[in-house]
Amino acid sequence: GVDSAPYFRVFNPTLQSERYDPQGLFIKRFVPELKDVPIKQLHNPPADLREQYGYPQPVVDYKQARKDAIAAFKDLPKD
């Protein structure tokens, strides 16, 4: 988001979910497909569990997206 954080701090929804909802209460309430996924895998289920529970595969690779965002921010004018 737009804030005073340095450009290299890129939001990662999975890490935020793990940190601020460690029991996965939000996920279990609003994503019923995942309510029975074990808590250790709830925030980012592996491919086999996603398929088993009818949940889609990730659209964004957060590690690569972070690298791309940092590279793009470094190229911005400093003015």
Side-chain angles (χ1 to χ4, degrees):
V2 179
D3 61 19
S4 61
Y7 70 88
F8 54 83
R9 288 185 56 199
V10 178
F11 185 77
N12 181 316
T14 302
L15 293 177
Q16 294 294 310
S17 177
E18 291 170 345
R19 179 176 292 150
Y20 296 106
D21 186 20
Q23 299 304 310
L25 300 177
F26 182 89
I27 294 171
K28 290 177 182 181
R29 179 173 179 184
F30 293 102
V31 186
E33 299 91 341
L34 299 180
K35 67 180 174 50
D36 295 323
V37 171
I39 190 67
K40 289 185 177 188
Q41 298 169 313
L42 182 63
H43 299 279
N44 189 18
D48 61 330
L49 281 182
R50 288 171 182 268
E51 188 173 324
Q52 178 183 341
Y53 288 100
Y55 192 68
Q57 296 300 321
V59 174
V60 175
D61 176 347
Y62 289 118
K63 287 182 182 181
Q64 186 60 49
R66 180 180 188 278
K67 290 177 186 178
D68 294 344
I70 290 172
F73 286 130
K74 281 183 178 180
D75 291 340
L76 289 175
K78 304 287 189 245
D79 300 272

